Amino acid sequence: MNVSRVFYVTTPIYYPNDLPHIGHAYTTVLADVLARWHRLKGSDVFFLTGTDEHGLKLQRAAEKKGVKPKEFVDRMVPEFKRYWKLLEISYNRFIRTTDIDHEEVVKKALEELHSKGLIYRGTYRGWYCSSCEKFYSEGEYEEKEGKKICPIHVKELEWVEEETYFLKLSAYQDEVLKLVRDTDIIHPRGYAREIASKLEREGLRDLSIARPKDRVYWGVELPFDNRYVVYVWIDALLNYLTGIGYGGNRKFREYWSVVHHVIGKDILWFHTAIWFAVLLMLDVPPPRRVLVHAFIINRGLKMGKSVGNVVMIDDMLDRYYTADSVRYLLMRLLNLEKDVEFDVELLDNIYNGELADTYGNLVRRVGVLSIKKLGGVVKRGELDEELRGKSEEVVEEVVKLMDNYKISESLVKTFDLLRTTNAYLNKTKPWESENPEPLLYNAIEATRIATNLLNPVMPSVTRKVAEALGFEIIEVDKLKYGEVKEFRVREAPILFKKVKSDIS
Ligand code: MSP
């Protein structure tokens, strides 16, 4: 296996205390698009997603429902799987932190850290947010009326004072800073600067990595002291190793060397400062890439259950009908650096203008005309130089953009080609031409190129177009304008039903 032809992508593992919403879908669809893009490039892809099932947050959610934590998460996991199926998420493994192989990895890793002398006993005193499952140091929280408030969940922090075990992260501060500052692991670079300056300002403090069982019983037992469970974030991060069979084998090393962690910016510190240090301790190389995106916000605040401004996946599917449209809209909004407001009016306009009027309309037109004028058989004739030039330029640009995680820009580029093709039809008018075949051939050929490029974002609709117009979705490196000798057009499907802006 050629190493450059392997790709490993992960999503955060989500807390199954509640149903996933559009914010979670944003990350998951992004990871799925990268997985599909690399498959389209002919790579051997492993795509990991799953659920983060231990800890205080889950323990409390189960208690609230009056059931055992395991029973509670067992009920929630099928819901996550159902949503990911609805959205056509093509994961290779759905990992649960309650999976036996994962619990074994956690124990093995903690044994190793312990035997290396990197864990010591101590007392932790400080503030904790159970929604973040995070210890808050001074300066990180907000203060309101003398109360300490979690800036993400806008709720009061809890005081924690307990005997625990600490992991000696501080010993790795300089090495971690180098990885953050002097490599290209963290992308976009603004996030690397943010973490570097936090490290320079506050340093990397030792981390409490256990919780006493009388407070938090729902977790993996500490292998060297059964009165404790492992702190949920350490448990969770290790899932990325379990997912591909942590060990010294070749498969693990190959996948690990290219791993891309896709995350939201809320969990950046954990995935960089803490994770890089833990990996250094375990003698595992750092991840190849931590790909960070900003938030979807609603009325100015990060979408979240505790804030009460979530848009559910069902709401979006109801409004835009199909997984493809929802995926397209999320990826069209995608912004790694800046938060984007969930604006239905804007989404309606993009949906109607781009999906229905541009892509849908083009496919319908070439389909209808080919059937009516040529009985569906469209043979190659003279190639149109403008469409060929445009197609080649777009393929080249899209490859560059996608390889740089610029998914929204790549969609805009591909839609340029679709618009040019619609304009070509308007200009050449195959419906009144005596020789419509070359005109239709060129229009279908450009449609094929665009459809092929859109496949990772809209897997179903692009397959439908390929079937209707009679071509195959192929590896992107082999995509060349003029390659197809003949199209056998079977139907002229209507791809997207318009939405009316007056209903919401
Ligand atoms: N369980 C941890 C992750 C452990 S990974 C080793 C966790 N889970 S979570 O359920 O809270 O999911 C957080 C992730 O969901 C964010 O990092 C982000 O990827 C995604 N999002 C949740 N709400 C979001 C928005 N409003 N906008 C964008 N992404 C959001 O943290």
Side-chain angles (χ1 to χ4, degrees):
M1 209 190 302
N2 176 346
V3 174
S4 66
R5 287 297 193 188
V6 176
F7 187 69
Y8 175 31
V9 61
T10 67
T11 72
I13 46 172
Y14 304 105
Y15 294 124
N17 60 312
D18 229 314
L19 299 178
H21 56 67
I22 280 301
H24 305 112
Y26 195 56
T27 313
T28 312
V29 170
L30 166 57
D32 186 61
V33 168
L34 295 179
R36 288 177 185 272
W37 171 248
H38 284 268
R39 289 192 196 109
L40 203 60
K41 288 182 37 160
S43 296
D44 166 8
V45 172
F46 197 87
F47 173 17
L48 183 73
T49 189
T51 39
D52 186 357
E53 304 187 0
H54 292 129
L56 191 57
K57 180 181 177 118
L58 263 296
Q59 179 178 313
R60 284 187 179 155
E63 278 165 2
K64 232 175 163 176
K65 292 253 160 36
V67 292
K68 293 233 160 64
K70 183 63 167 56
E71 209 178 307
F72 177 64
V73 293
D74 281 351
R75 265 193 234 162
M76 292 302 288
V77 164
E79 292 292 324
F80 275 75
K81 290 187 174 165
R82 190 173 65 82
Y83 278 108
W84 297 156
K85 191 167 181 195
L86 278 174
L87 290 178
E88 300 204 45
I89 305 303
S90 60
Y91 58 79
N92 296 90
R93 174 170 176 185
F94 188 101
I95 192 169
R96 303 179 54 180
T97 49
T98 51
D99 286 343
I100 289 174
D101 63 341
H102 177 68
E103 298 202 356
E104 274 166 8
V105 166
V106 173
K107 286 190 175 152
K108 195 173 123 191
L110 276 133
E111 279 291 7
E112 185 176 334
L113 299 173
H114 191 235
S115 68
K116 285 182 171 165
L118 293 165
I119 292 176
Y120 63 92
R121 268 192 84 80
T123 309
Y124 179 80
R125 284 185 201 88
W127 297 97
Y128 196 78
C129 170
S130 69
S131 293
C132 300
E133 293 280 19
K134 174 179 152 119
F135 300 102
Y136 271 89
S137 51
E138 224 166 287
E140 283 186 326
Y141 48 74
E142 284 164 10
E143 300 220 40
K144 241 186 242 152
E145 296 155 8
K147 289 181 180 142
K148 318 276 189 250
I149 309 284
C150 164
I152 300 209
H153 297 94
V154 203
K155 66 174 224 193
E156 219 181 312
L157 300 175
E158 299 169 44
W159 177 253
V160 170
E161 189 164 343
E162 61 199 22
E163 285 299 298
T164 181
Y165 286 90
F166 284 91
L167 187 63
K168 277 192 195 161
L169 295 185
S170 56
Y172 290 81
Q173 182 172 321
D174 296 343
E175 272 179 89
V176 167
L177 181 60
K178 268 196 209 120
L179 288 174
V180 168
R181 208 184 37 201
D182 306 337
T183 71
D184 62 357
I185 297 174
I186 305 174
H187 182 91
R189 297 305 293 159
Y191 294 112
R193 288 191 288 276
E194 199 182 288
I195 294 296
S197 78
K198 188 170 151 104
L199 281 167
E200 281 159 350
R201 218 173 42 236
E202 298 167 17
L204 185 54
R205 297 192 194 125
D206 292 349
L207 178 73
S208 165
I209 50 134
R211 303 288 321 257
K213 270 194 191 161
D214 53 7
R215 302 237 169 122
V216 186
Y217 56 84
W218 178 232
V220 181
E221 218 168 69
L222 215 53
F224 45 86
D225 189 340
N226 64 11
R227 296 168 304 162
Y228 290 86
V229 299
V230 177
Y231 169 45
V232 60
W233 263 100
I234 296 295
D235 174 358
L237 286 164
L238 291 167
N239 94 86
Y240 300 133
L241 302 182
T242 312
I244 48 167
Y246 181 36
N249 62 58
R250 206 180 95 194
K251 183 176 161 245
F252 175 80
R253 284 203 308 270
E254 272 182 351
Y255 281 128
W256 189 256
S257 69
V258 290
V259 63
H260 280 54
H261 295 316
V262 179
I263 60 163
K265 65 180 182 181
D266 50 338
I267 54 178
L268 180 59
W269 178 257
F270 289 106
H271 280 82
T272 53
I274 295 178
W275 187 220
F276 293 179
V278 170
L279 289 169
L280 284 164
M281 292 174 176
L282 293 171
D283 293 309
V284 176
R288 175 65 196 92
R289 186 82 73 213
V290 176
L291 183 63
V292 191
H293 64 71
F295 296 143
I296 300 199
I297 55 175
N298 196 358
R299 288 172 265 126
L301 285 175
K302 180 193 171 210
M303 215 179 263
K305 253 274 146 63
S306 30
V307 182
N309 59 349
V310 282
V311 175
M312 298 305 285
I313 295 167
D314 292 314
D315 298 336
M316 230 180 142
L317 280 169
D318 285 349
R319 187 160 185 87
Y320 302 107
Y321 313 109
T322 63
D324 290 281
S325 326
V326 172
R327 291 167 61 100
Y328 180 83
L329 292 172
L330 290 177
M331 290 302 99
R332 186 65 175 68
L333 283 187
L334 180 71
N335 195 317
L336 301 182
E337 273 124 344
K338 285 193 217 118
D339 293 346
V340 289
E341 181 74 31
F342 188 88
D343 176 348
V344 179
E345 211 175 309
L346 173 72
L347 292 175
D348 283 355
N349 284 336
I350 296 175
Y351 176 88
N352 284 337
E354 296 174 11
L355 292 181
D357 291 344
T358 304
Y359 190 32
N361 190 29
L362 176 63
V363 169
R364 176 86 181 143
R365 285 170 98 189
V366 294
V368 166
L369 287 168
S370 303
I371 292 167
K372 213 163 107 186
K373 292 279 199 180
L374 303 163
V377 182
V378 188
K379 292 203 181 62
R380 181 167 57 196
E382 202 185 321
L383 300 183
D384 180 80
E385 280 314 309
E386 193 200 334
L387 275 188
R388 178 162 78 165
K390 184 79 191 172
S391 297
E392 282 170 0
E393 171 208 313
V394 167
V395 172
E396 201 179 308
E397 281 288 314
V398 164
V399 169
K400 256 193 245 151
L401 290 167
M402 289 297 284
D403 284 344
N404 283 295
Y405 322 107
K406 296 192 185 249
I407 296 173
S408 183
E409 290 89 332
S410 103
L411 293 174
V412 171
K413 253 284 149 224
T414 308
F415 270 74
D416 259 7
L417 175 58
L418 293 169
R419 258 185 294 270
T420 305
T421 314
N422 265 322
Y424 171 82
L425 287 178
N426 297 344
K427 192 177 69 191
T428 59
K429 300 188 172 56
W431 53 90
E432 49 182 58
S433 163
E434 274 169 24
N435 184 19
E437 193 163 23
L439 307 176
L440 285 169
Y441 175 86
N442 281 289
I444 299 178
E445 186 57 354
T447 309
R448 173 180 78 94
I449 301 276
T451 298
N452 209 117
L453 294 174
L454 289 171
N455 174 260
V457 174
M458 297 193 284
S460 280
V461 88
T462 51
R463 244 177 284 128
K464 186 165 160 184
V465 171
E467 260 165 46
L469 302 183
F471 62 84
E472 305 259 321
I473 307 275
I474 58 171
E475 271 185 30
V476 72
D477 297 346
K478 301 189 178 123
L479 206 53
K480 200 164 174 290
Y481 191 92
E483 279 285 289
V484 176
K485 285 202 189 78
E486 174 187 288
F487 292 101
R488 286 190 174 258
V489 177
R490 293 190 200 105
E491 17 153 18
I494 293 170
L495 304 179
F496 303 98
K497 195 159 81 186
K498 281 211 181 186
V499 292
K500 292 206 181 64
S501 287
D502 51 356
I503 43 166
S504 68

